[in-house]
Amino acid sequence: MSNTQINVTHEQFISTAIEAINTEIAALSLLTEQIDDRFAQACDVILACQGRVVVTGMGKSGLIGRKIAATFASTGTPAFFMHPGEAGHGDLGMLVKGDVLLAISNSGESDEIKMLLPVVKRLDIPLISISRDKRGMLPHAADIVLTLGKSQEACPLNLAPTSSTTATLALGDALAVALVHARNFTSEDFALSHPAGALGRQLLTRVEDLMHTKSEDLPLIYQQAPLQEALFTMSAGRLGMTVVTDDNEKVVGVFTDGDLRRGLEKGIDLQTPMREVMVRNPRHVSKTMRASDALSVMNESGISQLLIIDDEGRLEAIITVHDLLKAGVK
């Protein structure tokens, strides 16, 4: 390998980069001309699959295949990647009747995949191939042949997989997106496979997962009780508020730290009954509401707490902005 370097200006670096990107754009444009009924047939086969979509490919094609499998799996199409070399030494047991095999080889002549085909045929597993064109061993063996078109690689030697891998990745994304539409896959479905991420928390966390319930001795006080008594209730509850009820324990109002500050500024008497200082018709939400939606209600209303009230009008739980932010809800 030659270690000789040539002097390249910043302008030349930038020019080369733009040329490479434009070459890959041309490859994607060529790919759009390859999308026809074969693509629709591939979608039909994958939708009818009772098992998993098993993606395989060697070298750079394998790296792209891993991403395609991951995208399928996260968007409602069960899938995983199988290394063709390892498959020939036992991992082919991953592939079972009911699966679909998606095999990637730009040239269509991967020796590692070729060794797997007799077993694939014997198991009667549908084979979808992705290659540059319809020539080669793999397209001839496939049930459905998806092609990329013969594009120029962005590599100046026209050797390193660049444009072809970009087109393969785009084709995999196109399949995944088409399947998302066909499955009516929702954001909630997406969240189920992403529970550890911020998106998962946004979509999966409900008010009931974070709220304070009756078992935690919620701060309650009767409407005829004096403000002085409410202060002790608020302090003990440590939620920055107390909920005011009537004699039947139905919610009639709330009184918060903010209400207390404003009242003290006006010189309020500590013996004033709660019914005279409480805020009536407090905001309340369903415990099945998304936590992120509850936070939006708080922000829009300029409040820090929300009540959860049962069908009889009695307090069931309380959720605070602190609970939501602590849980990473945004």
Side-chain angles (χ1 to χ4, degrees):
M1 179 183 293
S2 172
N3 291 320
T4 304
Q5 295 184 359
I6 61 174
N7 292 325
V8 180
T9 66
H10 284 193
E11 289 75 14
Q12 288 173 314
F13 277 131
I14 293 169
S15 175
T16 301
I18 292 173
E19 182 180 353
I21 292 170
N22 283 331
T23 301
E24 300 206 4
I25 290 173
L28 293 177
S29 180
L30 180 61
L31 174 62
T32 63
E33 300 174 8
Q34 308 293 312
I35 305 300
D36 51 26
D37 196 55
R38 294 171 296 157
F39 180 89
Q41 291 172 6
C43 291
D44 285 339
V45 168
I46 294 173
L47 281 172
C49 176
Q50 298 298 307
R52 292 80 39 88
V53 176
V54 182
V55 184
T56 193
M58 197 68 191
K60 305 298 188 297
S61 293
L63 295 175
I64 297 300
R66 289 181 187 276
K67 195 276 179 184
I68 292 173
T71 301
F72 279 161
S74 70
T75 53
T77 299
F80 65 86
F81 177 79
M82 178 183 70
H83 191 286
E86 296 295 333
H89 294 277
D91 281 3
L92 193 56
M94 297 176 179
L95 194 64
V96 298
K97 247 186 181 321
D99 290 345
V100 170
L101 182 63
L102 176 62
I104 306 169
S105 171
N106 187 50
S107 67
E109 294 289 352
S110 168
D111 290 335
E112 291 81 4
I113 295 178
K114 183 178 181 179
M115 289 190 298
L116 310 180
L117 296 183
V119 178
V120 172
K121 291 300 180 183
R122 184 170 181 175
L123 292 174
D124 196 26
I125 290 172
L127 173 60
I128 302 171
S129 69
I130 296 178
S131 57
R132 179 178 58 229
D133 52 39
K134 295 181 179 180
R135 294 176 297 178
M137 166 276 304
L138 181 58
H140 287 159
D143 299 293
I144 300 172
V145 179
L146 300 181
T147 52
L148 307 171
K150 193 172 181 180
S151 60
Q152 178 82 11
E153 297 288 6
C155 164
L157 303 176
N158 196 31
L159 295 174
T162 44
S163 300
S164 59
T165 48
T166 297
T168 305
L169 182 59
L171 181 55
D173 286 343
L175 284 168
V177 170
L179 294 166
V180 165
H181 284 290
R183 296 183 192 281
N184 195 27
F185 192 77
T186 67
S187 56
E188 286 80 4
D189 295 325
F190 185 85
L192 289 174
S193 58
H194 298 77
L199 178 61
R201 287 195 298 272
Q202 291 291 98
L203 296 175
L204 292 178
T205 306
R206 305 286 170 175
V207 167
E208 61 188 339
D209 298 322
L210 305 173
M211 66 188 189
H212 301 270
T213 63
K214 289 182 178 179
S215 62
E216 299 175 54
D217 195 21
L218 297 176
L220 291 166
I221 194 166
Y222 290 114
Q223 61 182 343
Q224 63 268 28
L227 174 58
Q228 184 175 18
E229 185 177 332
L231 300 185
F232 292 110
T233 303
M234 290 171 63
S235 178
R238 294 187 294 181
L239 295 178
M241 69 177 304
T242 185
V243 179
V244 186
T245 67
D246 61 16
D247 292 338
N248 296 315
E249 297 187 348
K250 293 185 177 181
V251 175
V252 293
V254 295
F255 191 77
T256 68
D257 287 343
D259 298 323
L260 174 61
R261 286 193 298 272
R262 288 185 287 273
L264 292 176
E265 290 172 359
K266 297 176 181 178
I268 192 172
D269 190 323
L270 293 181
Q271 296 306 311
T272 303
M274 290 305 299
R275 62 175 174 269
E276 296 182 15
V277 295
M278 69 183 184
V279 175
R280 298 179 183 275
N281 302 315
R283 293 299 304 268
H284 60 277
V285 296
S286 165
K287 63 183 178 183
T288 58
M289 175 184 277
R290 285 182 185 173
S292 57
D293 291 337
L295 182 59
S296 296
V297 171
M298 291 184 190
N299 289 335
E300 291 167 5
S301 304
I303 57 179
S304 301
Q305 304 93 354
L306 284 170
L307 309 185
I308 295 85
I309 299 175
D310 65 22
D311 293 338
E312 297 180 352
R314 294 185 174 89
L315 181 67
E316 185 175 359
I318 297 173
I319 189 166
T320 71
V321 67
H322 178 72
D323 300 325
L324 298 170
L325 296 179
K326 185 178 179 181
V329 176
K330 297 179 180 179

